[in-house]
Amino acid sequence: MLGYCGTGYNGMQTQPDPKLKTIEDVLFKAFAEAGAISEENSTDLKKNSFMRAARTDKGVHAAGNVVSLKLIIEDPDIISKINAALPEQIRVWGIERVNRSFDCRKMCSSRIYEYLLPTHSLLPPRPHSSLFHLIAKSKKEHPGVLREDNDQQWWESTRQRMLDSGITEDELKLVFEKSESALEDNIKMDHVNENGDLTEYGKLVRRVRATENACRSEFRVSSEKLNLFREAMNQYVGSHDFHNFTLGKNYKDPSSRRYMKSTSVSEPFIIEGSEWISIKIHGQSFMLHQIRKMICMASLVVRTGCPITRISDCFGPVKINIPKAPALGLLLECPVYESYNVKLEELGYNPIDFSRYEKEMNEFKMKYIYDKIYAEEDKQKVFQGFFEFLDKFDSSGAKSGGKHIFDFLGAAFNSGLNNLEDTNSASPAKAVDNVD
């Protein structure tokens, strides 16, 4: 049982290219250095029957994950020796004996993931952006379907704050309207000169962004909007066809049907002046990018005033291009072995239970995962940049079949579902691949 910060690693699983650093490579090397793996088996994972419970993506963290393999654990200090050979951002919490047939991936009953999201991600689309015009047009054509958003006033008050700081209307037009026109026409707006110094335009952009960033940090989500987001996340609970929430899957592909046991959204909390929420998703198994697409879709329906039930429409046959939210906020909380723990105890083994390491895991999450997420967002503005990119996305590649790529967020949408799916159906046979 282990935890890790995924920053700087190309995911959990060993890659064919030895230049790509992975969690498994570093972990396996530490096992060998600590004497937990024999010298003759130290160069081949397969010789040790190595398997991981969850194959996390590049940059994705885990407070708890499980690997199963043959280890030499007679040394009572073996865990300390392994941790001494590991970097501080990878920790082994404990080692448990299991029966010979145990496979940590196949025997896993379910998995819990956490996603941290700054609440300003739920602000409505930027005024005059492509997505803003799409929603405005849809409201005009189909009145009464899309919700009105009181947070639209936030954009007005932020603009006024810029004006109060001494920035003129013409300068704001230069930064927003002209820069967006330049983006559409593929015209470069230089922020720096040939010497690497900020141009007057670059200085103006910096002033505008500084004011907007301060306003975003001060944004506080309303209880009404937070409950809308909770309702959106609850649309995922049950057994559904998640073909639109991954890559390379078609409608009714048996492998795209997944069972979500529960979702929860915390009360907002303040970190370094900015407001965040913690989202937890407990599911039987997950596909590539599934969680990040689930988070993005829930955010989009809240941001645009789209009916919350549009998420359920995504389980239908119509193919939808749902972006994936940044990897930055995602971490694996832990795999769960409810069913297999019963068998382990019957055989005289300890259950695989992370609750015994809760204190250490929480301290590790705060220092090596949460703080890194908050710091990177503060420095890079990952979430702000992501949703701003979606708002502005209106190039030739943004349209498919004559429609805007985000047309599914409008008032009129035909899912093709026709009530074919029973969202309250029993849990399906467990899919064993888990890759997010």
Side-chain angles (χ1 to χ4, degrees):
M1 291 177 276
L2 72 151
Y4 50 85
C5 170
T7 302
Y9 291 89
N10 286 272
M12 172 72 175
Q13 189 176 17
T14 296
Q15 299 294 321
D17 184 352
K19 295 180 182 178
L20 298 176
K21 186 171 68 169
T22 68
I23 299 294
E24 287 182 0
D25 292 337
V26 176
L27 183 65
F28 200 65
K29 183 180 178 181
F31 285 154
E33 288 183 15
I37 294 175
S38 63
E39 186 176 347
E40 57 267 27
N41 291 341
S42 63
T43 58
D44 190 350
L45 289 173
K46 293 181 180 179
K47 288 183 180 180
N48 297 276
S49 303
F50 188 95
M51 182 53 64
R52 84 288 302 166
R55 192 168 69 238
T56 52
D57 280 347
K58 178 180 178 180
V60 176
H61 318 293
N65 201 350
V66 172
V67 296
S68 55
L69 73 160
K70 299 172 184 176
L71 285 177
I72 303 168
I73 56 174
E74 281 73 15
D75 185 344
D77 295 322
I78 192 63
I79 294 177
S80 296
K81 290 180 178 179
I82 293 171
N83 280 330
L86 287 168
E88 289 188 347
Q89 69 185 83
I90 304 176
R91 294 288 89 182
V92 171
W93 305 126
I95 297 174
E96 295 293 350
R97 293 181 182 271
V98 291
N99 62 322
R100 187 178 295 273
S101 65
F102 179 77
D103 183 310
C104 65
R105 180 172 64 99
K106 293 180 180 179
M107 305 304 182
C108 182
S109 303
S110 57
R111 298 159 180 88
I112 302 172
Y113 278 86
E114 182 177 15
Y115 195 93
L116 299 177
L117 185 74
T119 59
H120 63 68
S121 301
L122 302 179
L123 282 166
R126 180 183 292 278
H128 309 298
S129 65
S130 174
L131 188 55
F132 174 89
H133 288 307
L134 173 71
I135 299 306
K137 180 182 177 183
S138 187
K139 286 180 177 179
K140 186 175 181 179
E141 293 175 347
H142 305 278
V145 178
L146 302 182
R147 296 183 308 278
E148 296 297 330
D149 193 336
N150 291 332
D151 284 333
Q152 197 64 49
Q153 297 174 357
W154 180 89
W155 289 107
E156 298 170 8
S157 62
T158 297
R159 186 180 184 89
Q160 186 58 51
R161 188 157 158 182
M162 293 174 184
L163 294 172
D164 292 343
S165 72
I167 300 170
T168 67
E169 284 282 4
D170 287 342
E171 287 174 327
L172 287 179
K173 288 180 181 179
L174 176 65
V175 171
F176 292 118
E177 297 176 20
K178 288 190 177 181
S179 61
E180 288 187 19
S181 298
L183 183 66
E184 293 172 7
D185 297 332
N186 200 27
I187 299 173
K188 186 177 181 181
M189 299 286 285
D190 288 324
H191 290 66
V192 295
N193 59 27
E194 56 186 15
N195 296 321
D197 299 322
L198 279 175
T199 61
E200 290 304 312
Y201 175 73
K203 293 176 182 177
L204 174 61
V205 170
R206 178 171 288 187
R207 288 176 60 202
V208 170
R209 290 301 187 189
T211 303
E212 183 174 315
N213 292 342
C215 292
R216 284 182 183 274
S217 294
E218 295 166 9
F219 175 76
R220 300 295 180 258
V221 70
S222 66
S223 58
E224 179 185 13
K225 178 166 280 190
L226 186 61
N227 287 332
L228 273 173
F229 187 74
R230 288 183 173 126
E231 186 182 346
M233 290 302 302
N234 281 334
Q235 299 294 306
Y236 297 120
V237 175
S239 175
H240 304 291
D241 189 330
F242 282 91
H243 72 103
N244 275 318
F245 293 85
T246 187
L247 303 175
K249 301 286 186 182
N250 295 317
Y251 180 60
K252 290 198 172 180
D253 182 331
S255 66
S256 66
R257 179 163 284 274
R258 302 293 163 123
Y259 180 66
M260 300 298 112
K261 300 185 74 171
S262 66
T263 66
S264 65
V265 180
S266 73
E267 287 297 313
F269 51 93
I270 308 299
I271 300 293
E272 298 295 330
S274 294
E275 187 179 66
W276 294 71
I277 50 176
S278 167
I279 305 146
K280 291 193 177 180
I281 304 174
H282 189 179
Q284 225 174 45
S285 60
F286 299 88
M287 296 176 289
L288 181 66
H289 303 324
Q290 181 182 336
I291 296 171
R292 292 165 63 188
K293 285 176 175 279
M294 289 167 66
I295 295 294
C296 184
M297 184 64 190
S299 300
L300 285 173
V301 298
V302 171
R303 296 181 73 232
T304 60
C306 181
I308 296 299
T309 52
R310 189 60 47 80
I311 290 175
S312 297
D313 294 334
C314 295
F315 304 137
V318 173
K319 202 66 179 174
I320 296 170
N321 186 3
I322 302 173
K324 57 182 185 290
L328 177 63
L330 180 62
L331 64 140
L332 172 64
E333 179 75 13
C334 66
V336 180
Y337 291 87
E338 292 171 331
S339 302
Y340 204 73
N341 276 343
V342 176
K343 183 175 182 179
L344 285 175
E345 290 179 316
E346 289 174 351
L347 294 171
Y349 298 109
N350 292 328
I352 300 171
D353 182 6
F354 282 94
S355 64
R356 285 171 290 173
Y357 312 106
E358 184 176 2
K359 181 177 181 293
E360 297 95 322
M361 289 172 66
N362 284 337
E363 290 174 351
F364 179 83
K365 281 197 296 184
M366 186 57 67
K367 183 176 181 180
Y368 292 102
I369 299 179
Y370 290 170
D371 283 357
K372 283 187 180 294
I373 291 173
Y374 304 143
E376 188 167 345
E377 174 59 20
D378 183 60
K379 182 179 180 181
Q380 302 292 339
K381 307 296 184 225
V382 175
F383 287 95
Q384 177 179 338
F386 172 72
F387 285 105
E388 189 166 290
F389 174 78
L390 297 188
D391 289 354
K392 294 180 178 180
F393 195 51
D394 192 27
S395 66
S396 58
K399 298 185 179 181
S400 176
K403 294 183 178 180
H404 194 286
I405 197 168
F406 295 140
D407 193 61
F408 61 87
L409 295 170
F413 178 77
N414 181 8
S415 69
L417 193 58
N418 295 325
N419 299 320
L420 293 177
E421 181 176 36
D422 180 8
T423 58
N424 295 314
S425 61
S427 169
K430 181 165 61 177
V432 297
D433 58 314
N434 186 84
V435 296
D436 212 327

